[in-house]
Amino acid sequence: MAGRYTPKTVLAHLIQRRNQTYSEIVAEFVELGGTITERHLRRLASGERAGTTPQTRRTLQRMFGKPVEELLAPYVPEQAGQVVPVTAAGGRITTGNEMEVLDMAASRARAFALAAQTGLGSEAMEQVYDDVRHVAKAYPQRPLPEILGQLVETQDLVFALLESRQRPEHLRQLYFLGGVTGGLLAKASHDLGNPHAALTQARTAFLCADNADHHGLRAWVRGLQSLVSYWAGNPHDSVRYAQLGAGYAEQANSTTSVWLPVSEARAWAALGNADATRAALERAENAWSTVVEGDDLDEMGGLCTFGRNRQLYYAADALAWLPGERETAERYSHQAVDAYTDQSHPEWAFGDAAGSHAAMAITRIANGELDGAADAIAPVLGLPTERRINGVVHSARRVHQALRQSGRADDARDLQEEIELFTRTPMQTYPR
């Protein structure tokens, strides 16, 4: 809930009256077609920031029914008795008092349904599934600072439900959801450059997968452990985790059966083992014939499933390590970059798109195309701080390393300096 402090602006007062968190306001803002970060919204509400884009002004006015100039004006307590207009579903403007009553009623109903001593009902269980599914789908496409709070709250909810008395038929489902949220938080910890916390979350997620007796979830968590180890500079561990998950993936018949071998391929490539890399890539391609629709983890979508686009990126990333695979690496990197051009595609992910561009830059450096490499890495270097996750920063550093090893570092000094400037401000430095 928005804290009950004395608001600095009319906007802060209206947010407080709506009894919503800033992350909920941001989510509604996005649903209306706008783009804003929670940090920017907080700065506007606190009076620290007054500059807004035309799109932001239009969306704020639509949400709160007042011109932006009035919303950003200092709040005068005497205005407290005024009605707060907000946009209801379907576009009808309702009063703030009505919305506050409805929000309170919805929160009370949700709390009752989820915390009933007799255990969850089918409707409440579906609500929890929707909460987890929403975060899983949003994760690859939205900056982590926008969804981290919701992710942590969702994990807290699932763990609290597991700690209370539940019907036996719901325990397995809750452990499944606990494993998913734990896996997402493992990825979040990795994205923030904390592999220790990431592996800790992953171990708990695997425990939940065991309690849920879910082979696909076990395989997925092993894939996350392989990913974390790869970017942490531990390719042998990455290979080991990928291989540990292979047996579970075979029994699940889910897309993890593709993800694990292609993850193994990246780690073998980092170790310089071209034969093992090619063999793992071939196993990944062949695994598509074993994938069966209907796996409940795949149906979560987002980070919980592995599609063709990610396979192209992983293959390009793997082959970029190997000097003898220059032509194949170039082909895969082009396909991967093309695959991530459409940002409206369900599989689009800003991190994988950035990694694809980095792989293309590395292959162009190997071919002596420094201008082409600069063009390839340019979209990555333009990413805002809140999207400079750990894997993206490491990908940029690999491009820098390729430039150093190319023998033409002096010709690419400006590009190297751009990369150094980019990597100097990873997402960990983003103020939250």
Side-chain angles (χ1 to χ4, degrees), residues 93-161:
I93 300 296
T94 69
T95 68
N97 288 340
E98 290 173 351
M99 184 59 69
E100 184 171 352
V101 169
L102 291 174
D103 282 344
M104 290 175 63
S107 296
R108 180 69 181 91
R110 185 173 184 270
F112 174 80
L114 297 181
Q117 291 300 311
T118 56
L120 290 172
S122 59
E123 292 297 325
M125 194 73 241
E126 185 60 32
Q127 176 65 59
V128 182
Y129 261 97
D130 282 346
D131 289 347
V132 177
R133 189 182 298 113
H134 174 76
V135 182
K137 288 183 175 180
Y139 195 110
Q141 301 187 344
R142 290 174 57 186
L144 182 56
E146 292 184 8
I147 63 172
L148 183 58
Q150 182 183 359
L151 177 54
V152 172
E153 289 176 4
T154 302
Q155 186 190 54
D156 284 344
L157 169 63
V158 173
F159 283 177
L161 290 170

Side-chain angles (χ1 to χ4, degrees), residues 1-22 24-25 41 45 64 75 77 80 84 86 96-97 99-100 103-104:
M1 302 287 179
R4 293 299 174 182
Y5 56 88
T6 302
K8 299 290 186 182
T9 64
V10 174
L11 176 61
H13 167 66
L14 297 182
I15 292 174
Q16 187 180 89
R17 286 281 299 275
R18 290 179 66 167
N19 206 30
Q20 289 177 286
T21 65
Y22 279 89
E24 289 171 339
I25 296 292
L41 179 62
F64 295 98
Y75 170 65
V84 185
V86 296
N97 288 340
M99 184 59 69
E100 184 171 352
D103 282 344
M104 290 175 63

Side-chain angles (χ1 to χ4, degrees), residues 227-359:
L227 178 149
V228 171
S229 299
Y230 172 74
W231 289 113
N234 301 313
H236 286 289
D237 284 345
S238 182
V239 169
R240 179 171 61 86
Y241 281 123
Q243 292 177 343
L244 283 172
Y248 297 124
E250 288 177 4
Q251 297 178 75
N253 294 323
S254 66
T255 59
T256 57
S257 61
V258 181
W259 186 27
L260 288 168
V262 82
S263 297
E264 184 183 338
R266 292 204 303 182
W268 281 126
L271 290 167
N273 191 327
D275 289 339
T277 299
R278 287 190 291 267
L281 289 176
E282 185 176 353
R283 290 202 312 275
E285 182 60 35
N286 292 338
W288 282 113
S289 63
T290 69
V291 174
V292 177
E293 292 185 4
D295 177 77
D296 48 0
L297 184 63
D298 278 334
E299 289 181 350
M300 282 279 176
L303 200 64
C304 291
T305 190
F306 191 85
R308 287 279 186 181
N309 291 357
R310 287 179 73 191
Q311 182 189 9
L312 290 171
Y313 156 54
Y314 272 55
D317 189 49
L319 294 168
W321 285 99
L322 305 173
E325 297 291 337
R326 185 180 302 173
E327 183 177 339
T328 310
E330 183 176 11
R331 185 175 71 252
Y332 270 110
S333 66
H334 274 282
Q335 292 175 351
V337 167
D338 289 345
Y340 284 105
T341 299
D342 183 5
Q343 295 189 16
S344 65
H345 194 282
E347 287 186 38
W348 185 82
F350 70 86
D352 294 344
S356 301
H357 277 275

Side-chain angles (χ1 to χ4, degrees), residues 200-222:
T200 298
Q201 287 282 359
R203 292 184 193 103
T204 302
F206 195 85
L207 174 65
C208 289
D210 268 346
N211 287 330
D213 193 22
H214 196 288
H215 294 311
L217 184 56
R218 290 186 180 107
W220 182 70
V221 175
R222 291 303 190 208

